[in-house]
Amino acid sequence: MTKNSLQGIIPDTLTNCSNLEVLELSGNFLIGEIPLNMGRLSNLLRLGLSVNNLTGTISPSLKNISQLERIFLADNKLTGTIPDELGQFPNLGSLVLGGNKLSGGIPETLYKYNQSSLILLDVGYNMLGKTLPSNFGDTLPSLRYLVLDDNNFEGHIPASIGNISGLLMLDLSSNNFSGQVPSSLGMLGMLNFLNLGGNKLEAKDIESWEFIGALSNCSSLQTLGLGGNKLQGAIPNSIGNLSPELQQLDMDTNELTGPAPINIGNLSALTLLDLSVNMLDGPIEGWVGKLKNLTALILGGNNFTGPIPSSIGDLTDLTTISLEENEFEGPIPPSMGKLKNLTALILDGNRFSGLIPSSIGNLSKLTHLYLGKNEFEGLIPPSIGNLKMLVKLHLNDNNLHGNIP
């Protein structure tokens, strides 16, 4: 009965169906509280109430359903704490509570009872907090998906998470985790998604940056999110040894300095590279042209210098180029006119000069063209009139003249 238009409360009489094994009502418009007598469904294996408008707390009576294997209560308006009883089911494989207003911490019973059957734990987008115990990874050995994002967890990331050898997804983003990223995460050989962004994690010397080299052992890693932390200094050269399957690398809003390592060009599968809002400098010519699969190049808010290399025209999948607020200089290369999929070209606040090339008019999908606060001169090219999809055009603070097409 998922994804219908069921409304109203869950009738308490439903709990009289003592032989029910699956109750799946997700994706409806149900309101009110989870029935207090839900525990009477003693044969239930799967409880699915996600994506409704349920309120109130999670009933401790669920403890009476001893054979529960899957609990899906995500995307409601549930409040209160996660009952300790939810950590005591011997066969629990999935516990999905994300997108509510739950507070407190993860029940200690999850650690005490060694949940060897738990594969999926998702409590993201709540108001949970506290620290994770140091033995966190040792007590949940079968996890494949661990999602704790957008909460208030704090303290160090337990090194024992590296012992969850089959982990595929680890999302700890948007919390208050601090200290160093444990190098033990490099033991997660099957990991394909790692997001640690939006925390207070630090790296400022060779030792604290060792985790990047360790992650090169994660040969299936496709997403690495490190943005919005307190990472300092140069990006280590070992960044180029990350998985050849890496598609998204996000290191924005840190305190990174120096040039980006040339061997970042080894990450040829990258579709998104975000190094914005740091203090990086130097040219990009030595590596950017090697990233043939890029769809988004986001380098704004740094101190990058030099020209845009003509090799940028070889990155024909690009949809977004964001280079604003740097020290780039020289002309826009005519080869940029080859980027037929480009929708946003953001070059504001640099030292670009010369004529705006007429090849800009070939970018038929362009919706945002920001060229303001540079040193462009000469006529506004009439070919800009070909940009029928254009929504925003910035040409301010240049030395342009002539008519707007």
Side-chain angles (χ1 to χ4, degrees), residues 257-336:
T257 57
I262 289 180
N263 63 3
I264 207 169
N266 296 345
L267 305 176
S268 57
L270 277 184
T271 60
L272 180 146
L273 175 62
D274 188 350
L275 302 178
S276 61
V277 194
N278 282 287
M279 294 174 280
L280 297 167
D281 57 33
I284 64 173
E285 188 170 7
W287 52 269
V288 72
K290 299 177 181 178
L291 303 177
K292 305 292 187 184
N293 291 298
L294 271 187
T295 61
L297 176 64
I298 305 174
L299 305 179
N302 281 286
N303 299 308
F304 286 114
T305 58
I308 298 177
S310 60
S311 60
I312 197 109
D314 298 330
L315 311 184
T316 53
D317 290 332
L318 274 172
T319 62
T320 300
I321 298 177
S322 179
L323 307 181
E324 75 278 7
E325 305 300 331
N326 278 283
E327 298 292 331
F328 287 111
E329 58 189 7
I332 296 176
S335 62
M336 195 170 282

Side-chain angles (χ1 to χ4, degrees), residues 7-227:
Q7 301 179 12
I9 64 172
I10 300 173
D12 193 61
T13 52
L14 190 63
T15 63
N16 295 329
C17 303
S18 57
N19 293 322
L20 201 63
E21 294 184 353
V22 176
L23 177 57
E24 183 54 82
L25 299 173
S26 297
N28 284 287
F29 300 97
L30 299 173
I31 61 174
E33 299 188 5
I34 299 172
L36 293 176
N37 294 324
M38 188 68 74
R40 294 167 60 181
L41 300 175
S42 56
N43 290 302
L44 204 63
L45 300 177
R46 176 188 175 110
L47 174 61
L49 302 176
S50 294
V51 196
N52 281 288
N53 294 303
L54 298 174
T55 56
T57 60
I58 300 173
S59 174
S61 72
L62 292 178
K63 69 179 181 181
N64 298 323
I65 314 176
S66 59
Q67 298 305 308
L68 261 178
E69 297 176 356
R70 298 180 181 181
I71 301 175
F72 297 96
L73 304 178
D75 297 313
N76 282 287
K77 299 175 182 177
L78 300 174
T79 56
T81 60
I82 302 174
D84 287 341
E85 289 80 4
L86 295 195
Q88 299 178 11
F89 299 116
N91 300 316
L92 189 64
S94 300
L95 179 58
V96 182
L97 307 176
N100 283 288
K101 299 178 181 179
L102 300 171
S103 56
I106 296 175
E108 293 184 4
T109 49
L110 273 178
Y111 319 130
K112 291 181 179 179
Y113 288 87
N114 197 316
Q115 287 288 357
S116 57
S117 61
L118 194 63
I119 294 174
L120 168 59
L121 176 59
D122 181 353
V123 295
Y125 285 92
N126 278 287
M127 296 182 290
L128 300 170
K130 301 185 178 180
T131 60
L132 301 179
S134 60
N135 66 337
F136 184 92
D138 299 323
T139 58
L140 301 169
S142 299
L143 274 183
R144 295 293 183 270
Y145 306 92
L146 176 58
V147 182
L148 307 182
D149 64 304
D150 288 87
N151 280 287
N152 298 309
F153 291 109
E154 58 188 17
H156 289 193
I157 297 173
S160 62
I161 289 180
N163 297 331
I164 311 176
S165 58
L167 203 61
L168 300 174
M169 178 180 185
L170 176 59
D171 193 345
L172 305 181
S173 62
S174 299
N175 280 285
N176 293 308
F177 288 111
S178 58
Q180 298 180 14
V181 179
S183 295
S184 60
L185 298 185
M187 298 165 56
L188 303 174
M190 298 176 63
L191 198 66
N192 57 49
F193 182 97
L194 175 60
N195 192 353
L196 305 178
N199 283 287
K200 300 176 182 178
L201 300 169
E202 300 177 1
K204 50 190 173 183
D205 53 32
I206 294 176
E207 180 182 357
S208 54
W209 273 107
E210 286 180 352
F211 74 94
I212 291 290
L215 288 175
S216 64
N217 297 318
C218 303
S219 57
S220 299
L221 193 63
Q222 296 180 10
T223 297
L224 176 58
L226 298 171

